[in-house]
Amino acid sequence: MGFFTRLAKSAPGPQDLHQDVPTRPTGYQQTASRLHAFNRYEIKYLLDEMHIPVLRDALTARMNTDPFSPHGGYPVTSLYYDTADLRFYWEKIEGLRFRRKLRMRLYGNPAECTGETPVQVEIKQRVNRVTQKRRVPLPYDTALRWLDSRQEIDCEPHQRAFVHEVTALIGNLDLRPIVTTGYLREAFVGRDADLGLRVTIDHKVHGRDRDFHFASGAENRFIIPPKLAIVEIKANERVPYWVTDLAARSEMSVVRVSKYCQSVQAFELAPRSTVGAPELNGFRAADASPVGALTTKNN
C-alpha cells in the first residue's frame, strides 16, 4: 500500500478528534516532527537581538544544537486559515481555555517550494495551559487541493480522524487563508535529564496578507520589530530551574504574543488588541521596511 489510501466518508467520533497523528519526516521536517512534542507547555519571551549571543552561549553550554539548525536559523513559513470574521483570532484575544488554529507550515526556503515539496498541515490547540499539536505531512500541491480547493484527499487509516477533523473545520466554518508568518529559527534540544526540553529563538519575524503561495516572492513586512527575537521555552512536564534562572538573568519577561495574531493586527485586518507585550504596542507593519530574502546566513 502506498503512503495514501482513499479517505473514508464516515464522520469521526468525538473520541477520534484528539488522536495524535504520526509523521514520516525528512530534513527540516525531521526537526519539526522528532523534537516537537504533541502535548507540552510553552513559555514565550521577547529579547533584544543584541543579547542573543550571550543567550546562545548559555544554551549551548547545557543543551544540544538542533542538527538541522544552522547559525542564524532555518526558515519556517506558515499560512494560517481562519473564518471571514476571524474566529480563531478572537478566541486567542479573548483567552478561551480551549482554542485552536489551522495552518500549513513549510520548513525550508520558501523560494524553493514546488508542488512536490513536503509541508505540514497542522492543528495547534490550547487546552488550559497545555499546547497540543497534530499534523499530517503532504506534498504542497496536495495540501492546496485539500485546504483551498476542498477536494478529497487520500490518507492512511491512522490519519483518517485528523483528516476528517480538518475537512469538517474547513467546510463547517468556511475557512480561508488569512495571513502568513515567517522567521528564521534556531533550535536547541535538551540532553541528559532535560530530554523533554526545547528552546527556540525566532529571528526577523515577518508576514503578509496576500499572495499566499510560498514561492510567490511577494513582499513581506516585519510583524515584530526586527531588533527583537521571540524566545520560546517548551517542556513536556516542567521547565528546569536553570532555564528559569537564565531567563531571569537575561532580563527576559514572559509575554503573551501570538505570531498569527500579530500578523493579523499588523495588517489591520482587526483592531489592534491592547492585550500583549508592551514592546509591540504601536508597531505597524506598514511602517517597517520590507523584508528582503531570508537565508540561513542571516542572524
Side-chain angles (χ1 to χ4, degrees):
M1 183 176 64
F3 181 74
F4 299 111
T5 187
R6 176 59 54 188
L7 168 64
K9 295 183 179 295
S10 59
Q15 72 279 6
D16 297 322
L17 295 184
H18 303 295
Q19 177 177 325
D20 288 348
V21 179
T23 60
R24 298 181 179 181
T26 59
Y28 286 122
Q29 307 284 337
Q30 199 170 356
T31 289
S33 299
R34 178 170 53 86
L35 299 177
H36 283 189
F38 280 103
N39 297 280
R40 56 176 31 187
Y41 297 94
E42 297 182 352
I43 308 172
K44 293 180 182 178
Y45 304 84
L46 288 176
L47 186 63
D48 194 296
E49 284 282 358
M50 66 181 297
H51 299 308
I52 292 297
V54 174
L55 175 65
R56 184 186 293 119
D57 289 345
L59 292 175
T60 53
R62 302 289 296 263
M63 303 180 71
N64 294 330
T65 302
D66 186 312
F68 295 102
S69 177
H71 183 79
Y74 56 89
V76 180
T77 309
S78 299
L79 173 60
Y80 287 87
Y81 290 75
D82 207 336
T83 64
D85 59 357
L86 303 177
R87 170 175 174 166
F88 297 157
Y89 165 83
W90 286 112
E91 288 179 350
K92 165 63 177 178
I93 294 302
E94 293 169 2
L96 297 190
R97 290 182 177 273
F98 174 79
R99 57 184 184 268
R100 57 187 169 180
K101 53 193 174 188
L102 174 67
R103 66 191 179 195
M104 183 195 307
R105 174 163 283 189
L106 169 70
Y107 293 91
N109 187 350
E112 299 174 358
C113 182
T114 70
E116 297 303 313
T117 300
V119 298
Q120 301 282 343
V121 174
E122 179 177 279
I123 288 179
K124 182 177 181 180
Q125 65 189 33
R126 182 93 165 187
V127 181
N128 294 320
R129 297 177 55 200
V130 178
T131 298
Q132 301 173 339
K133 295 181 183 179
R134 291 166 294 129
R135 52 162 68 104
V136 62
L138 295 168
Y140 185 42
D141 274 352
T142 302
L144 289 176
R145 289 199 307 271
W146 180 25
L147 302 186
D148 292 0
S149 301
R150 305 186 183 189
Q151 297 178 13
E152 184 180 272
I153 67 166
D154 298 332
C155 68
E156 292 187 344
H158 66 263
Q159 299 169 329
R160 287 177 183 164
F162 179 77
V163 170
H164 276 302
E165 181 181 1
V166 171
T167 300
L169 275 176
I170 295 170
N172 294 342
L173 299 180
D174 191 23
L175 301 183
R176 75 282 310 276
I178 297 295
V179 291
T180 67
T181 66
Y183 43 87
L184 293 171
R185 167 164 285 183
E186 292 185 80
F188 304 85
V189 294
R191 59 176 180 247
D192 301 326
D194 299 326
L195 288 180
L197 176 66
R198 179 174 171 84
V199 177
T200 57
I201 306 173
D202 296 338
H203 306 272
K204 300 183 178 180
V205 184
H206 59 276
R208 63 179 183 265
D209 61 350
R210 64 201 71 190
D211 301 322
F212 292 130
H213 193 287
F214 286 141
S216 71
E219 181 180 282
N220 288 280
R221 294 276 177 172
F222 289 113
I223 60 174
I224 299 288
K227 70 173 185 176
L228 297 176
I230 296 179
V231 179
E232 193 163 356
I233 298 171
K234 310 173 186 185
N236 292 342
E237 296 180 356
R238 63 174 183 84
V239 176
Y241 173 78
W242 71 265
V243 177
T244 56
D245 182 62
L246 173 62
R249 286 188 285 108
S250 303
E251 299 183 352
M252 295 191 298
S253 300
V254 176
V255 295
R256 294 179 58 188
V257 58
S258 160
K259 297 184 186 76
Y260 168 60
C261 290
Q262 189 63 25
S263 192
V264 168
Q265 293 168 357
F267 289 100
E268 300 181 349
L269 297 182
R272 177 167 296 278
S273 171
T274 57
V275 178
E279 295 91 335
L280 304 181
N281 288 344
F283 179 78
R284 296 178 66 252
D287 298 331
S289 300
V291 180
L294 296 181
T295 70
T296 56
K297 294 181 181 179
N298 290 345
N299 188 9

